[in-house]
Amino acid sequence: MVLLLVIMVMVLSFRAESKTYWEDIEVLKELKNGLDSNSVSPGSCISSWDFNVDPCDNLFSNRFTCGFRCDLNVSETSRVTELSLDQAGYNGSLSSISWNLPYLDTLDLSNNFFSGPIPDSLANLTRLRRLGLSMNSFSGEIPTSISSLTELEELYLDNNKLEGAIPASFNNLVSLKRLELQSNKLTSEFPELGSLNNLSFLDASNNAISGKIPWVFPSSLVQISMRNNSLEGTITPESFRTLGYLQVIDMSHNRLSGSVPSLIFDLPSLQQLTLSFNQFSSVQAPASLGTQSELIAIDLSNNELRGFLPSFMALMPRLSALSLENNKFTGMIPTQYAFKAVIPGLGISPLTRLLLGGNYLFGPIPDPLMGLQPGSVNVRLVDNCLYRCPVTFFFCQGGQQKSLAECRSFAPVIP
C-alpha cells in the first residue's frame, strides 16, 4: 500500500512538473513511432524529438527543434495547438494515432510520403481550423468523419490517391473558406455545397468527376477550378446567377456542351473565363454587349463553336487576352478586334493576345493589324481560309492556311 502511494505521488509529481499535457505528449510519440525510421533523416524536425525532456518546455532547443507549437491554457498547462511538419520525406501511416489533441488549431503534413487511409480519428480534432494533407500518397475514400470538423476553414487533400465520391456531408463544414481536392482519383457527381456560405476557393481539377455541373454553388465563391474531369451537359445560368464575387472560372478539359450562356459574361466580378477543350457549339451575347464586363482573359479554344466571331468581346473594356482557336468559326475578322489590339481608345485595355487560328475565317486581314510589328501583340491567324495572309506577316507564320476545297466544303460562300 505504501509502495502504491509512493508510485502515485511520483507520477503526479512528474505531471505537475511537466508543462505539456500528458495526452498531447502521447500523440507526439504515436506520430514519431508510426513513421518508417528510415524516412526520418538527420536534421529533420522529428529526428530531434527526445521525449526524455518536456516537449513544450524544450521547443526550439536541440531536443525539439521544430514541428509543433504550444500555448498555455487557463490551467497553465501547455497544450499542442499546431502540428506542422517539415517537408522531410516522412513515410508512414496515420491510422495508429489517437489524435486526442483537443486544442489543435492546425495540422499540416503536406509534401511528404504519408500513405494509407485518412483515419476517422481526425474527427477528434474538434478545434481544427486548417488541415493540410497535400502532396502525399493517401488512398481510399475521403472519410465522412471530416465533416464533423465544423470549425475547419481550410481543407487541403490535393495531390494524393484518394478515390470515390466527394462526401455530400461536406455541407456541414459551415466555416470552410478553402477546399482543395485537385489531382486525385475522385469520381461520381460533384455534390451541391450551397450551404457553405464562407467558401471562397474551390479546386477539384484533375480527377474523374462526372455528371453535370452542380445546380447551386456557394454565393461566396471567388474561384472555381474543375478542369480536366468528365463533366458533361450544359452550363445552366442558375448555377452562376448568384455568384457576385466570382473572379475565376476554369472548367476546361471536360465534356460540356450547348451554349456558353450570356449571364457568364455579365458576372460583375469575373476576370478570367477558361472553358477550352469542351464541346460548346455557340456563344450567347449578353444584353450589355460586354460593356460592363470585368473580364481580362477569355479562353474558349478547342470547342465546336460555330457562326461568326462574337464581336461583343471587342467591347469589353478590360479584356486583354482572347483565345478562340481551333473552333469552327467562319466569316471575316471583325474590325473591332483589330482596333482593340492596335488603338483601343482612352481607358480601354488593348488586346495583347488574340488567338484565332484553326477556324474557317476568310476575307481580308483588317487594316489595323497589317501595321503590327513582331513582339508587339501576340496574334495568331494560321490554319484558316485567309488567302491574303502571307507568311511575311508574323501572325500568319507557324502554319499554313486550309485548302480551298476544305474551306468551300465547310463554308460554301468562300470565293
Side-chain angles (χ1 to χ4, degrees):
M1 184 68 177
V2 174
L3 180 61
L4 180 61
L5 288 172
V6 170
I7 292 172
M8 291 178 64
V9 169
M10 290 177 62
V11 171
L12 291 172
S13 174
F14 173 78
R15 290 185 181 174
E17 293 173 0
S18 173
K19 289 191 173 182
T20 310
Y21 189 66
W22 67 275
E23 281 191 327
D24 293 12
I25 298 175
E26 290 304 309
V27 175
L28 296 178
K29 287 181 178 179
E30 291 170 357
L31 176 58
K32 182 174 182 178
N33 294 336
L35 296 176
D36 178 353
S37 58
N38 293 323
S39 71
V40 182
S41 57
S44 64
C45 287
I46 291 184
S47 69
S48 71
W49 290 7
D50 180 359
F51 292 99
N52 291 312
V53 297
D54 181 81
C56 293
D57 197 29
N58 290 273
L59 187 56
F60 306 127
S61 72
N62 60 356
R63 300 288 188 93
F64 286 94
T65 58
C66 53
F68 60 95
R69 188 187 80 230
C70 300
D71 288 300
L72 283 173
N73 66 2
V74 289
S75 62
E76 297 191 0
T77 303
S78 291
R79 305 302 301 258
V80 175
T81 55
E82 179 178 339
L83 184 51
S84 298
L85 297 186
D86 49 338
Q87 301 171 17
Y90 301 118
N91 184 5
S93 169
L94 305 184
S95 299
S96 61
I97 304 173
S98 63
W99 296 110
N100 289 320
L101 295 172
Y103 286 85
L104 197 70
D105 174 88
T106 298
L107 175 60
D108 192 347
L109 309 179
S110 301
N111 291 278
N112 282 288
F113 295 101
F114 288 100
S115 58
I118 298 173
D120 286 325
S121 53
L122 289 179
N124 293 332
L125 305 174
T126 53
R127 299 189 188 186
L128 200 66
R129 292 195 301 168
R130 186 177 190 273
L131 176 58
L133 303 180
S134 307
M135 301 290 290
N136 280 285
S137 295
F138 291 110
S139 57
E141 297 188 352
I142 300 173
T144 57
S145 55
I146 288 181
S147 304
S148 66
L149 301 175
T150 55
E151 300 297 316
L152 200 63
E153 296 180 1
E154 300 176 43
L155 177 56
Y156 302 91
L157 301 179
D158 55 283
N159 290 278
N160 281 286
K161 300 176 181 178
L162 298 171
E163 301 175 334
I166 299 167
S169 57
F170 271 9
N171 269 297
N172 296 330
L173 300 174
V174 292
S175 301
L176 200 64
K177 297 178 180 178
R178 191 176 186 97
L179 176 59
E180 298 205 23
L181 304 171
Q182 67 270 25
S183 300
N184 280 288
K185 300 177 182 178
L186 300 171
T187 56
S188 301
E189 294 189 4
F190 194 89
E192 292 188 7
L193 301 176
S195 63
L196 302 186
N197 294 325
N198 294 297
L199 190 67
S200 61
F201 186 96
L202 168 62
D203 195 342
S205 302
N206 303 318
N207 281 288
I209 299 169
S210 58
K212 297 183 177 181
I213 294 174
W215 186 260
V216 176
F217 283 111
S219 59
S220 52
L221 275 171
V222 174
Q223 179 168 335
I224 300 174
S225 298
M226 300 182 72
R227 64 183 177 276
N228 197 23
N229 279 287
S230 297
L231 297 171
E232 56 189 10
T234 61
I235 293 181
T236 56
E238 287 75 13
S239 298
F240 294 89
R241 192 177 303 279
T242 62
L243 304 186
Y245 302 104
L246 192 62
Q247 296 179 11
V248 176
I249 299 175
D250 187 350
M251 294 191 173
S252 57
H253 293 270
N254 280 286
R255 302 172 188 168
L256 300 171
S257 58
S259 294
V260 179
S262 59
L263 179 139
I264 292 289
F265 302 105
D266 274 339
L267 289 174
S269 302
L270 192 63
Q271 298 179 19
Q272 179 179 323
L273 174 63
T274 306
L275 298 175
S276 54
F277 291 93
N278 278 287
Q279 299 168 13
F280 291 108
S281 56
S282 62
V283 177
Q284 295 179 359
S288 67
L289 296 179
T291 56
Q292 306 300 314
S293 173
E294 293 293 311
L295 275 162
I296 296 172
I298 297 175
D299 188 352
L300 301 180
S301 62
N302 295 278
N303 278 282
E304 301 290 329
L305 297 171
R306 294 173 177 266
F308 298 145
L309 290 172
S311 57
F312 72 88
M313 292 182 181
L315 303 178
M316 294 180 171
R318 299 188 63 197
L319 189 68
S320 61
L322 175 60
S323 179
L324 300 173
E325 285 192 304
N326 301 320
N327 281 288
K328 296 180 179 178
F329 286 115
T330 187
M332 294 188 289
I333 300 173
T335 305
Q336 299 98 308
Y337 281 27
F339 278 119
K340 186 167 173 59
V342 182
I343 42 176
L346 187 64
I348 304 297
S349 298
L351 277 175
T352 58
R353 181 186 302 164
L354 178 60
L355 307 180
L356 304 177
N359 284 288
Y360 292 85
L361 304 174
F362 60 84
I365 308 297
D367 286 340
L369 294 182
M370 304 296 280
L372 288 175
Q373 298 299 315
S376 58
V377 181
N378 183 5
V379 179
R380 180 178 166 89
L381 302 179
V382 299
D383 192 25
N384 275 290
C385 303
L386 299 166
Y387 300 113
R388 302 177 191 176
C389 193
V391 293
T392 52
F393 294 105
F394 73 92
F395 45 75
C396 299
Q397 298 171 1
Q400 299 179 342
Q401 297 295 315
K402 290 181 170 68
S403 69
L404 183 60
E406 183 180 359
C407 289
R408 284 180 171 172
S409 67
F410 184 82
V413 298
I414 294 175

